[in-house]
Amino acid sequence: MVDMMSALRPEARQAPESGIVEVVNFARERDDLIPLWVGEGDLPTPDFIRAAAEASLDKGETFYTYQRGIPALREALACYHHRHFGRDWGAERYFVTGSGMQAIQLAVQAIAGAGDEVIYPSPAWPNFPAAIGIMGARAIPVPLDFSPNGWTLDLDRLFAAVTPRTRAIYLNSPSNPTGWMADKETLAAILAEARRRGLWIVADEVYSRFVEGEATRAPSFMDVAEPDDLILYVNTFSKNWAMTGWRIGWLSAPPALGQVVENLIQYSTSGVAQFMQRGAVAALDEGEEFVALQRRRASAGRAIIEGRLAATGRIRYAPPQGAFYLFFGVEGFSDSRDLAKRIVGETGVGLAPGSAFGEAGEGFLRLCFARSAEHLEAAAERLAGWIAR
């Protein structure tokens, strides 16, 4: 009998199991579960987005459509970036993808393969290094430095990780899971080094609208870049507009790459359903009030969780600058996988183990606070009581 596993490509066999899903599967059936382990809020997609998709279905828009995305959505993406990022780069540089994850996969397929390396700050969302590995390339983590004053990126360490095999730098800012956020000066320094060495940048700006304070967005490579810089921007409709289940995102790339990106879409999904794209147009054109609501809820949720857990005097964390996670450790515990299982088993509060985000995340837990105040108050009470005991 053929050994099916040995007959697979090594990259497929070695694709890592999600450390988050492992904990989810451990306790998903609990009746008293408060699930704070995944990166989504608890609001459903708003009515005005659903209505646009339903109207499209009613019109019979259920056929093959533009591989790059319908013109209305690409134009809406251009207008959105002009409003919020001040760059009038035109609709031709925006490509609609089947989720932010597919945008990352397309970016990786375009720039890295067997024998190549991509460097990235860690702790990091595990799907990115996994996508690199599946392509046969190597993902090289560069640890962020932790202190109670904040996570920091040592640029000298980042640049020292570049080798002749390095093809790109991946930067997720604001960061999942740490909440670290690159300032404009850091982005400019990374771009200058990438230009000098001829490296690509994959700019993951999924959480750009979730920032603390008065700013309406995080600093972006768009603040310092030129249209033809070697930068691929990946983003999603999931977070801002409560569309995680829709699986729709976008890739922004220099227009000269248009046919290449279209070809990669053609040979993967052949495009995104038109009715979903109509919903995405509504999100961009009509969704600012909802984004503001999401930001207010996340800020209030952070205050609830951070205040209660910090008061125990037994956690270590850095206040997040952006995104919607608290990344914290508990005094006396170093194995985050066992700790996450123990906490959910004894309290019903589901948290993601820091080890799922790389070696630099070990000893921490990730908690999503983009949830209702009621759920977060209950979770905070259970967690604070458990930690105090």
Side-chain angles (χ1 to χ4, degrees):
M1 179 179 291
V2 175
D3 181 350
M4 286 188 288
M5 294 300 291
S6 65
L8 295 174
R9 290 176 60 241
E11 292 83 2
R13 287 200 312 270
Q14 295 162 12
E17 177 186 1
S18 168
I20 302 172
V21 172
E22 180 187 4
V23 180
V24 171
N25 289 338
F26 175 73
R28 67 164 70 243
E29 300 300 328
R30 285 185 64 114
D31 294 334
D32 62 344
L33 181 66
I34 302 178
L36 307 180
W37 38 31
V38 295
E40 66 178 352
D42 55 357
L43 291 179
T45 305
D47 290 345
F48 68 91
I49 296 175
R50 300 205 314 269
E54 290 165 2
S56 176
L57 285 170
D58 289 342
K59 292 177 184 176
E61 292 183 333
T62 57
F63 297 93
Y64 290 132
T65 187
Y66 295 87
Q67 311 264 354
R68 303 186 189 198
I70 61 174
L73 180 49
R74 299 179 74 203
E75 186 61 41
L77 283 164
C79 292
Y80 173 82
H81 286 87
H82 182 60
R83 288 196 305 272
H84 294 287
F85 297 86
R87 305 310 294 260
D88 190 11
W89 284 352
E92 66 273 14
R93 72 173 293 125
Y94 298 100
F95 304 85
V96 182
T97 61
S99 74
M101 185 64 228
Q102 195 201 14
I104 290 174
Q105 290 172 320
L106 295 176
V108 171
Q109 288 172 357
I111 62 176
D116 295 330
E117 296 177 351
V118 179
I119 63 175
Y120 68 100
S122 180
W125 187 46
N127 289 36
F128 176 74
I132 290 288
I134 289 170
M135 287 302 300
R138 293 184 62 214
I140 308 298
V142 177
L144 292 164
D145 292 318
F146 168 77
S147 84
N149 295 322
W151 293 85
T152 56
L153 175 62
D154 185 327
L155 290 180
D156 290 336
R157 183 187 302 156
L158 182 75
F159 299 151
V162 175
T163 75
R165 294 182 296 277
T166 304
R167 293 281 293 154
I169 300 170
Y170 170 86
L171 195 78
N172 170 219
S173 175
S175 163
N176 170 13
T178 62
W180 168 80
M181 185 169 69
D183 57 26
K184 186 175 178 180
E185 292 72 25
T186 296
L187 297 174
I190 293 172
L191 177 57
E193 188 71 8
R195 285 171 174 166
R196 188 176 75 82
R197 295 179 182 245
L199 301 176
W200 284 93
I201 292 172
V202 179
D204 181 342
E205 300 187 349
V206 164
Y207 297 96
S208 64
R209 302 299 303 282
F210 286 91
V211 292
E212 290 295 319
E214 298 300 317
T216 60
R217 67 164 176 87
S220 165
F221 276 108
M222 290 190 181
D223 296 326
V224 296
E226 296 299 326
D228 59 352
D229 273 315
L230 301 183
I231 303 178
L232 300 174
Y233 300 85
V234 298
N235 217 313
T236 183
F237 288 89
S238 292
K239 313 300 181 180
N240 294 342
W241 298 284
M243 296 173 69
T244 52
W246 291 59
R247 314 314 301 139
I248 182 168
W250 70 89
L251 174 70
S252 173
L257 302 185
Q259 192 58 53
V260 172
V261 177
E262 179 174 342
N263 292 345
L264 293 175
I265 293 172
Q266 163 68 32
Y267 302 127
S268 56
T269 59
S270 296
V272 174
Q274 189 167 207
F275 63 88
M276 293 167 59
Q277 295 191 58
R278 297 293 185 193
V281 172
L284 294 168
D285 289 350
E286 307 171 39
E288 276 309 298
E289 185 176 334
F290 185 76
V291 173
L293 170 64
Q294 292 266 68
R295 284 164 47 94
R296 290 195 300 271
R297 291 179 93 241
S299 182
R302 173 191 167 177
I304 292 168
I305 290 294
E306 188 176 333
R308 291 294 301 276
L309 297 193
T312 67
R314 294 196 59 207
I315 71 164
R316 65 186 188 283
Y317 74 101
Q321 299 171 286
F324 44 63
Y325 306 106
L326 188 69
F327 201 56
F328 69 97
V330 179
E331 180 183 305
F333 296 91
S334 58
D335 187 322
S336 61
R337 176 176 169 273
D338 287 348
L339 179 58
K341 286 185 173 181
R342 181 171 172 184
I343 285 177
V344 74
E346 297 180 19
T347 72
V349 178
L351 306 175
S355 57
F357 303 92
E359 291 184 11
E362 182 58 287
F364 291 86
L365 300 165
R366 190 193 71 175
L367 180 155
C368 175
F369 52 71
R371 311 281 296 189
S372 71
E374 179 183 7
H375 281 175
L376 293 174
E377 290 281 7
E381 182 176 356
R382 295 185 199 179
L383 288 172
W386 188 90
I387 292 170
R389 290 193 299 273

